[in-house]
Amino acid sequence: MFGSFDALFLARAQFAFTVSFHFIFPAFSIGLASYLMVLEGLWLKTGKGVYANLYRYWLKIFAITFGMGVVSGIVLSYQFGTNWSVFSDKAGPIIGPLMAYEVLTAFFLEAGFLGVMLFGINKVGPKLHFTATCAVAVGTLISAFWILSANSWMQTPTGHEIAANGQFVPGPSWWAIVFNPSFPYRLVHTVIAAFLTTAFVVGAVGAWHLLRDRANPGARKMFSMAMWMAALVAPVQIFAGDMHGLNTLEHQPAKVMAMEGHYQSHPDGAPLILLGIPNSAQQRVDYALEIPKASSLILKHDLNAPLAGLDTVPEDEHPPVGVVFWAFRIMVGLGFAMLGIGLWSLLARARRRLYDWRWLHRAAVVMGPSGFVAVIAGWVTTEVGRQPWTVYGQLRTAQSVAPLDAPAVATSLIAFIIVYFAVFGAGTLYILKLMGKPPEPHEDAVPTRGPVRTAGITPAPAIEGGKP
């Protein structure tokens, strides 16, 4: 099946497959943890049972999503040692501590409070339980901080030195490594993407149940909250993405050239190519639908600003233009579609028809998976766009792979495909089954006092005649 591919291609395909599966779950759990924190906070503040109902409803889904994210993430760490041992050896002094910080500051925090969050709602006081929910939500954000710092250092490496044995080692200050040039932009863009991903899943579930019962209070509340997020945060994400793009132009210009489809330089203003078919053999975009000079306006804020093309980059440093070009357009197209749904919901809200416009509800259901597709497309743009480098400009991907034979990598890739679709497919189907059930309107309100009985303590036996 994979006999015509070399070990490098197969190792890259295996990592792309496993990390794509993994990325889906944190993109959902990061936003869902914060959503649960908001729900429980509103529950405690207002005492309204609808928030209690929604908290319990989404808590079950969060538990499964979080578990699948942890399991799929462990696989990635093993691949660094099996398929990418040369990269691990050379970049380990930088990447290793960053990953360790993630475990020590985020994973331990999440693991320490997750049990209380999942099982302690009727066993501990409401304030302690809310503290546990907040700790898990903050832990997911801290985890994103360290993971994205490590990835961003690979994109824009700074603050390091190269030892005599070729290893990347820390320089005088770790802060230059942690807060490398692309990290703040990537962190903001990715976390907002996680929030939007969750908002559109919640909105789709709410819309699905509104199509069946417009009076369901849980469906109405979750749909309203999701549409507020879409309307208010989607424009912020578009702005954050634009800032991230300008940062990428400064530090990784070849990636932006591939995203824009600029094979040739444009000294008098570059066009914005909306659609087309990249033709790397002929160094052009066939059947291009373009807006003259608009790319210069977006990237340089000047219609006539010159923009360099891939003709200024050595050919062996060109990223795969076709993949980057289309992945970028999928991401941007879905971002504007999210904005459109948000604006549509504002119009419906202004006319007091938010729960009545069935075409809006149908559109929200269709857009339910859009966040997952957008984050995967964004990841492909980022990772494929930095090829042929693992550490941009300093360590090539071909120099990072382990000395493995192609059949060995192909065998493990096939095994991963089978196991992942079986295990995570079953988990995903179960999540969809849970989402298909409407929120029950008769959940108990949050307790206003402490636990009825301390966990793990049973009543003492009755004493007769002074003897137990």
Side-chain angles (χ1 to χ4, degrees):
M1 181 178 179
F2 299 107
S4 60
F5 300 109
D6 60 15
L8 173 61
F9 177 86
L10 292 171
R12 291 179 60 195
Q14 185 180 115
F15 196 84
F17 175 79
T18 53
V19 79
S20 296
F21 255 93
H22 171 68
F23 198 13
I24 289 173
F25 301 115
F28 188 28
S29 62
I30 290 172
L32 192 53
S34 295
Y35 181 55
L36 288 169
M37 180 178 66
V38 171
L39 286 174
E40 188 166 17
L42 291 172
W43 179 13
L44 291 172
K45 181 178 180 180
T46 66
K48 293 182 179 179
V50 65
Y51 295 117
N53 172 41
L54 289 179
Y55 182 89
R56 289 184 170 93
Y57 182 87
W58 287 104
L59 184 62
K60 304 171 188 176
I61 296 169
F62 172 78
I64 301 168
T65 304
F66 186 87
M68 290 195 291
V70 171
V71 172
S72 59
I74 292 173
V75 175
L76 297 177
S77 61
Y78 282 111
Q79 286 187 48
F80 282 116
T82 56
N83 295 354
W84 302 99
S85 58
V86 177
F87 168 78
S88 298
D89 174 62
K90 291 185 177 298
I94 301 292
I95 300 297
L98 294 177
M99 302 297 287
Y101 296 151
E102 189 264 341
V103 173
L104 293 172
T105 61
F107 189 75
F108 283 3
L109 182 65
E110 295 165 337
F113 285 94
L114 184 65
V116 178
M117 178 184 178
L118 297 180
F119 308 111
I121 195 165
N122 295 318
K123 299 183 182 298
V124 301
K127 292 183 180 179
L128 177 56
H129 190 269
F130 181 55
T131 300
T133 303
C134 293
V136 172
V138 172
T140 62
L141 296 174
I142 295 175
S143 179
F145 177 96
W146 290 113
I147 295 297
L148 290 169
S149 176
N151 179 267
S152 297
W153 178 84
M154 295 162 63
Q155 304 277 346
T156 52
T158 55
H160 65 278
E161 299 172 355
I162 299 180
N165 61 359
Q167 285 187 321
F168 296 88
V169 297
S173 173
W174 267 99
W175 295 118
I177 296 172
V178 173
F179 293 96
N180 56 80
S182 66
F183 168 60
Y185 301 93
R186 184 168 285 105
L187 177 66
V188 171
H189 193 51
T190 305
V191 170
I192 293 177
F195 289 159
L196 283 174
T197 297
T198 301
F200 275 88
V201 172
V202 172
V205 174
W208 176 266
H209 294 298
L210 283 175
L211 289 169
R212 283 151 179 76
D213 179 11
R214 296 185 198 178
N216 186 297
R220 292 164 72 96
K221 181 61 67 176
M222 73 169 81
F223 184 71
S224 176
M225 295 176 75
M227 290 302 100
W228 274 124
M229 179 67 77
L232 299 177
V233 178
V236 177
Q237 176 69 323
I238 292 172
F239 175 77
D242 178 64
M243 298 300 293
H244 187 21
L246 297 178
N247 176 264
T248 304
L249 178 64
E250 178 182 356
H251 297 281
Q252 296 176 297
K255 181 188 292 188
V256 175
M257 296 170 190
M259 289 159 54
E260 297 292 326
H262 290 163
Y263 286 102
Q264 306 300 324
S265 299
H266 297 273
D268 300 317
L272 175 63
I273 302 174
L274 301 176
L275 297 171
I277 302 176
N279 185 341
S280 294
Q282 300 295 324
Q283 297 289 290
R284 66 170 186 257
V285 177
D286 296 332
Y287 311 108
L289 175 63
E290 58 186 40
I291 302 175
K293 300 190 176 186
S295 185
S296 289
L297 179 63
I298 294 172
L299 294 173
K300 295 289 188 177
H301 306 298
D302 182 355
L303 285 170
N304 298 309
L307 282 180
L310 287 169
D311 55 347
T312 63
V313 178
E315 190 171 348
D316 64 346
E317 296 181 10
H318 286 193
V321 177
V323 176
V324 179
F325 181 89
W326 279 110
F328 177 68
R329 274 148 188 78
I330 291 171
M331 178 186 68
V332 172
L334 287 173
F336 278 100
M338 292 175 181
L339 176 61
I341 292 290
L343 296 177
W344 192 359
S345 73
L346 286 179
L347 178 61
R349 200 184 297 271
R351 296 187 177 183
R352 301 184 183 278
R353 302 296 303 277
L354 183 66
Y355 309 118
D356 301 319
W357 282 6
R358 299 182 72 80
W359 278 109
L360 172 60
H361 302 159
R362 293 187 182 103
V365 171
V366 172
M367 286 290 289
S370 62
F372 297 112
V373 178
V375 296
I376 294 299
W379 176 82
V380 170
T381 302
T382 295
E383 299 304 309
V384 178
R386 71 176 157 107
Q387 295 302 317
W389 309 98
T390 47
V391 180
Y392 193 79
Q394 301 188 35
L395 180 65
R396 286 180 176 265
T397 307
Q399 300 169 333
S400 304
V401 69
L404 295 173
D405 293 330
V409 185
T411 301
S412 60
L413 175 56
I414 294 171
F416 275 126
I417 292 173
I418 295 172
V419 172
Y420 268 53
F421 275 106
V423 175
F424 296 116
T428 302
L429 288 175
Y430 184 61
I431 289 175
L432 292 175
K433 182 179 179 180
L434 291 176
M435 291 177 175
K437 298 178 181 179
E440 296 294 336
H442 52 72
E443 293 279 9
D444 295 332
V446 64
T448 57
R449 296 190 301 269
V452 175
R453 180 191 302 165
T454 304
I457 298 178
T458 56
I463 298 176
E464 297 180 3
K467 296 181 180 180

